[in-house]
Amino acid sequence: MPDYQIAPSILSADFARLGEEVDNVLAAGADIVHFDVMDNHYVPNLTIGPLVCEALRKHGVEAPIDVHLMVSPVDRIIPDFAAAGATYITFHPEASEHIDRSLALVREHGCRSGLVFNPATPLSYLDYVLDKVDMILLMSVNPGFGGQSFIPAALDKLRAARALIDASGFDIRLEIDGGVKVDNIAEIAAAGADTFVSGSGIFGKADAADPNRYDGIIARMRDELARVGSV
Ligand code: DX5
Ligand code: ZN
């Protein structure tokens, strides 16, 4: 079985109790903290920046933090997120004037780099930079908001991205973001994803007996992933 990783998106967490919410999903078995950065410019919403990333590290979060930049431009803010403790920094190619330079900047600052593809953005942006990315993130919704429905065309795009990665021989994670739930995660994994962002699908589904526990929902996702190959 591939090394499947579950990445709760804190966009759907209770921000007034963010440290505790992150502790709780990690205690339930999540692997990565997905951190959505929006600027009310590249996307029509505004969220959190490096100070919050740093606060999570100071709070004691040791898991990888997966910073998804939905901002333009990107270069000014990359070093700040690296200093704040980001593990991955991914950005949308349309948001950078110089994609190759921005990817190099992420690695120069000690982080793992990635490109993010909106539903209508072609994978051809990868043609000359595949050696410079550690993560390919495919959006299965249009970026800006949690709680949207999964766009089915993302499945074919996942298969295409998986073929590219396998043919390249590079060690690149394939992440999917948007509308990922218990009932579609197996199909998404079968299409080639190995890293699963889920916001409302996790933070909206705390254990019935204890709203601070996410063990049930994470276990159900893992059970679904365990049956991939037999679907
Ligand atoms: C949307 C964000 C997502 C969002 C996903 O722009 O990039 O990470 O939080 O939320 P769900 O899982 O609710 O679709
Ligand atoms: Zn995201």
Side-chain angles (χ1 to χ4, degrees):
M1 189 164 75
D3 170 30
Y4 290 133
Q5 302 207 324
I6 295 176
S9 164
I10 59 175
L11 189 60
S12 292
D14 177 353
F15 275 103
R17 298 187 299 116
L18 187 58
E20 193 186 335
E21 287 269 77
V22 170
D23 290 345
N24 291 340
V25 281
L26 291 171
D31 303 288
I32 304 180
V33 179
H34 186 78
F35 191 107
D36 286 306
V37 184
M38 305 186 187
D39 67 350
N40 190 37
H41 170 69
Y42 180 67
V43 290
N45 200 356
L46 185 65
T47 59
I48 46 178
L51 283 176
V52 176
C53 184
E54 187 180 5
L56 288 176
R57 286 300 186 211
K58 284 187 177 154
H59 176 74
V61 172
E62 291 179 356
I65 297 181
D66 170 28
V67 173
H68 173 192
L69 294 181
M70 287 162 274
V71 306
S72 179
V74 299
D75 290 4
R76 230 291 300 141
I77 205 77
I78 285 171
D80 293 8
F81 269 106
T87 309
Y88 289 92
I89 301 178
T90 67
F91 64 90
H92 291 247
E94 300 94 332
S96 172
E97 295 278 348
H98 303 284
I99 298 165
D100 182 278
R101 176 186 287 153
S102 301
L103 287 170
L105 191 63
V106 172
R107 284 190 175 172
E108 278 162 22
H109 282 82
C111 297
R112 287 174 234 167
S113 60
L115 281 184
V116 191
F117 295 82
N118 285 331
T121 303
L123 294 177
S124 55
Y125 277 107
L126 290 166
D127 284 355
Y128 303 103
V129 293
L130 214 45
D131 59 327
K132 297 193 173 72
V133 302
D134 300 295
M135 172 96 87
I136 295 170
L137 170 49
L138 302 192
M139 296 302 300
S140 37
V141 297
N142 286 291
F145 302 94
Q148 303 179 80
S149 297
F150 186 88
I151 296 172
L155 293 172
D156 274 343
K157 203 169 180 184
L158 276 172
R159 284 184 271 270
R162 169 53 57 202
L164 271 178
I165 292 170
D166 289 350
S168 78
F170 293 121
D171 183 15
I172 299 173
R173 296 205 70 85
L174 181 52
E175 185 173 47
I176 186 87
D177 183 3
V180 178
K181 313 274 181 200
V182 168
D183 58 12
N184 62 10
I185 196 169
E187 188 183 16
I188 293 166
D194 57 27
T195 308
F196 307 87
V197 176
S198 181
S200 52
I202 292 177
F203 285 105
K205 303 281 179 187
D207 291 4
D210 182 348
N212 290 316
R213 293 189 73 129
Y214 297 99
D215 303 62
I217 186 65
I218 300 277
R220 286 171 65 203
M221 286 184 169
R222 292 238 185 261
D223 287 349
E224 286 295 308
L225 291 172
R227 71 184 186 85
V228 177
S230 57
V231 286

